[in-house]
Amino acid sequence: MSSGFPTAEEILEALDDEQRIVAETTRGPVRVLAGAGTGKTRAITHRIAYGVATGVYTADKVLALTFTNRAAGEMRTRLRHLGTATVTAQTFHSSALRQINHFWPQLTGANTPRVIESKARTVSEAAQQCGLRADTATLRDLAAEIEWRKVSNLTIDDYALKAHARNMPGKLSVDDVVRVSEAYEKLKDDRGQIDWDDVLLLCAGLLESEKSALMEVRDRYRFFVVDEYQDVNPLQHKLLDLWLGDRQELCVVGDASQTIYSFNGATSAYLLHFAERFPQAQTVELDRSYRSSGAIVATANALMRDRAGALELTSHGDQGATPNLSQHPTEQAEARAVAASIAEEISRGVPAEQIAVLFRTNAQSAALEQALADVSVGYHVHGATRFYDRPEVKQAIMALRGASVVTRPVPLFQQVSDVLRELGWTQDAPQGVGAVRAKWEALNAIMMLADQAPASMTFRDFTSDLLARQEVRHEPTIHAVTLASIHSAKGLEWDSVYIIGLTEGMLPISYAQGLEAIAEERRLLYVAMTRARKALNLSWASQSGAHAKPQQPSRFLAELGTSISAKAKAHRLSTAQ
């Protein structure tokens, strides 16, 4: 009797030649250099599924690691559909916290310390204890500096020696930051609390000091896969080394051109020098982009040409339209022009959820929000409120779960719509933007999941799948234009992407000093460009702020050469009202 899951050969048939090599190379060490949009998640999930299907792996002995709950959720969903649901796919932090929760009570006889969700309030208290006045921005930078110290695996004394080469938050001195760090740690210790960085530190310390715990973990997990390996920081790498031991069953996947978290201690060195640590390692390159058109790929290649570790992508799709560059007199005019262009795209049938506007800093969002509201285009700010944390979503899931207990001989779509209509969903979207429209968009996202469900799916199966999505934070698509910082957009993609604010001082950002910092800013733009499938629009404004401060175009634009167009459409956008 068929299980409904693909066979080993069917798993391989879904892959291209290079992805198939990844899947068939089931034993480590393996390094996969995977460019943007080349199907790396498909390759590694199929590798795991193929290894399980052929008996190389036992599913519950595999640990797949990534860096965000969304990415881990997507990986679990794919593995479930491939028949390998018992594979553990988690973030580094989730895996470390699970191990602490398991071992801590056994070893200490006490409850695991409580993890504080945000360190900002405690950092503020620590600064006050030290007699320092710090505004919100300085407190945020202080928290980031504390995080950098920990993920760099430095004690406070070690940090004090190295900190003189770093830019300190606000007008604080190195001594100020050290004093705040000491006060912050004491506050947490006194309250029996830890932060998310401590989770990794505690797990590493526990495994180093308790050999029985270390051996139990090593027996539990035999095969390791690490996605986005270019984002690994020294502390995560140390923890991975502890889990792995002297074994070589490790597959890492990454792209040096997408290293954009150096401020959090991430380094592509582990990816680039993998073969030095593992001389027997096999390297497979995935350079065929299934996401972006030929024209967009050419633009991205132009930006990263001759850069260390950069893969030159080829496009599997059509050539498509040449990316466009437009100049505007002010930032407000730029926002209005982008909003007008988006409204035009939507009127031509481009789904709103397939359009995104990306920017370097969150502060750039305000002008766009107003401009989109003025032309009645719905939007959502990515990362502002998690989908499953919204009250209307929680209410809808509870209502659907309750209704699914009763079996009715009607289509799934009708059963779900009947429940959601009682909560305020309608087939047509309400006019305008605001809270009412935002609620409708959230409920409609659930409705779209029902619409896209397999014909064989029952109402109860649908609600079970929805609960599974909620648990792993696998968010559905919102039927609205996305506004997002470039950092938060990593891992996402849209048909049409607008990148705004391409000026000196914004991208590259003003505080990016030195070759390494500028290289990271270039990689940020590369990540933003490669989010686009079909259309890419770049823009900048000649003047900034209420005082009309003159601005210069980003130095990166000059590197794009003939891969971009700045003709008719640019003029039309610049003169939009």
Side-chain angles (χ1 to χ4, degrees), residues 75-128:
M75 192 177 291
R76 281 193 290 266
T77 299
R78 294 195 188 203
L79 290 169
R80 187 169 68 248
H81 291 160
L82 289 168
T84 52
T86 56
V87 169
T88 301
Q90 295 178 320
T91 64
F92 274 89
H93 286 87
S94 295
S95 191
L97 184 59
R98 175 180 288 188
Q99 291 173 33
I100 291 173
N101 286 335
H102 175 72
F103 291 116
W104 191 273
Q106 298 178 22
L107 297 171
T108 68
N111 293 329
T112 306
R114 183 175 63 86
V115 180
I116 55 176
E117 288 298 321
S118 172
K119 60 171 71 81
R121 180 176 298 178
T122 308
V123 170
S124 177
E125 290 182 58
Q128 290 176 9

Side-chain angles (χ1 to χ4, degrees), residues 235-371:
L235 180 53
Q236 290 164 332
H237 195 260
K238 177 181 179 179
L239 193 54
L240 178 62
D241 279 349
L242 285 167
W243 291 335
L244 185 64
D246 59 1
R247 298 168 294 181
Q248 298 201 347
E249 296 302 338
L250 173 63
C251 173
V252 301
V253 189
D255 179 10
S257 295
Q258 296 189 70
T259 307
I260 60 172
Y261 296 110
S262 295
F263 61 90
N264 277 343
T267 172
S268 61
Y270 301 123
L271 175 70
L272 295 176
H273 302 301
F274 188 77
E276 295 175 16
R277 180 185 176 188
F278 298 103
Q280 304 303 315
Q282 298 186 62
T283 294
V284 184
E285 291 189 2
L286 302 182
D287 58 12
R288 190 181 313 176
S289 173
Y290 290 92
R291 175 187 301 156
S292 302
S293 69
I296 293 171
V297 164
T299 304
N301 283 339
L303 182 67
M304 298 304 295
R305 185 163 291 123
D306 299 326
R307 304 294 167 182
L311 288 172
E312 183 168 356
L313 298 177
T314 60
S315 177
H316 186 69
D318 298 332
Q319 179 63 17
T322 302
N324 178 75
L325 171 65
S326 59
Q327 176 185 353
H328 308 274
T330 65
E331 292 167 337
Q332 290 72 26
E334 181 183 20
R336 290 194 298 270
V338 169
S341 181
I342 289 173
E344 180 186 342
E345 285 198 78
I346 294 173
S347 71
R348 288 191 278 107
V350 179
E353 66 270 19
Q354 290 300 336
I355 303 173
V357 186
L358 307 182
F359 34 78
R360 179 63 176 83
T361 68
N362 289 322
Q364 293 170 273
S365 175
L368 286 164
E369 292 180 48
Q370 183 60 57

Side-chain angles (χ1 to χ4, degrees), residues 172-460:
L172 301 181
S173 66
V174 171
D175 288 343
D176 291 334
V177 176
V178 168
R179 287 193 297 123
V180 173
S181 297
E182 291 171 338
Y184 171 75
E185 297 301 330
K186 186 175 187 306
L187 279 172
K188 289 195 291 91
D189 290 345
D190 291 345
R191 296 167 180 174
Q193 297 175 333
I194 57 177
D195 61 28
W196 280 106
D197 307 313
D198 294 328
V199 168
L200 300 181
L201 284 166
L202 277 180
C203 186
L206 185 153
L207 296 179
E208 282 183 311
S209 61
E210 300 292 338
K211 298 304 180 185
S212 61
L214 180 61
M215 296 312 298
E216 184 176 336
V217 171
R218 288 182 179 174
D219 182 63
R220 173 71 175 82
Y221 298 116
R222 304 285 182 87
F223 303 93
F224 297 84
V225 177
V226 185
D227 192 15
E228 305 287 6
Y229 195 59
Q230 78 280 349
D231 291 336
V232 167
N233 61 47
L235 180 53
Q236 290 164 332
H237 195 260
K238 177 181 179 179
L239 193 54
L240 178 62
D241 279 349
L242 285 167
W243 291 335
L244 185 64
D246 59 1
R247 298 168 294 181
Q248 298 201 347
E249 296 302 338
L250 173 63
C251 173
V252 301
V253 189
D255 179 10
S257 295
Q258 296 189 70
T259 307
I260 60 172
Y261 296 110
S262 295
F263 61 90
N264 277 343
T267 172
S268 61
Y270 301 123
L271 175 70
L272 295 176
H273 302 301
F274 188 77
E276 295 175 16
R277 180 185 176 188
F278 298 103
Q280 304 303 315
Q282 298 186 62
T283 294
V284 184
E285 291 189 2
L286 302 182
D287 58 12
R288 190 181 313 176
S289 173
Y290 290 92
R291 175 187 301 156
S292 302
S293 69
I296 293 171
V297 164
T299 304
N301 283 339
L303 182 67
M304 298 304 295
R305 185 163 291 123
D306 299 326
R307 304 294 167 182
L311 288 172
E312 183 168 356
L313 298 177
T314 60
S315 177
H316 186 69
D318 298 332
Q319 179 63 17
T322 302
N324 178 75
L325 171 65
S326 59
Q327 176 185 353
H328 308 274
T330 65
E331 292 167 337
Q332 290 72 26
E334 181 183 20
R336 290 194 298 270
V338 169
S341 181
I342 289 173
E344 180 186 342
E345 285 198 78
I346 294 173
S347 71
R348 288 191 278 107
V350 179
E353 66 270 19
Q354 290 300 336
I355 303 173
V357 186
L358 307 182
F359 34 78
R360 179 63 176 83
T361 68
N362 289 322
Q364 293 170 273
S365 175
L368 286 164
E369 292 180 48
Q370 183 60 57
L372 289 169
D374 289 345
V375 293
S376 298
V377 170
Y379 64 87
H380 76 105
V381 181
H382 180 67
T385 302
R386 292 178 175 177
F387 180 82
Y388 292 107
D389 290 339
R390 299 174 68 160
E392 61 267 23
V393 172
K394 292 180 178 179
Q395 183 184 21
I397 292 176
M398 289 181 61
L400 288 166
R401 187 178 184 184
S404 69
V405 174
V406 180
T407 303
R408 296 167 54 201
V410 294
L412 173 62
F413 182 92
Q414 183 178 334
Q415 295 181 81
V416 175
S417 66
D418 287 346
V419 174
L420 296 186
R421 285 180 191 279
E422 293 180 4
L423 301 178
W425 178 80
T426 57
Q427 190 165 356
D428 297 321
Q431 295 297 313
V433 294
V436 173
R437 177 63 177 261
K439 177 181 178 180
W440 182 89
E441 298 286 6
L443 296 179
N444 193 59
I446 297 175
M447 195 69 250
M448 290 176 67
L449 288 177
D451 191 28
Q452 297 163 2
S456 59
M457 179 174 277
T458 66
F459 191 15
R460 185 167 297 182

Side-chain angles (χ1 to χ4, degrees), residues 40-57:
K40 65 179 179 63
T41 306
R42 168 181 286 267
I44 59 175
T45 51
H46 280 66
R47 177 184 186 269
I48 293 170
Y50 182 72
V52 172
T54 55
V56 177
Y57 314 142

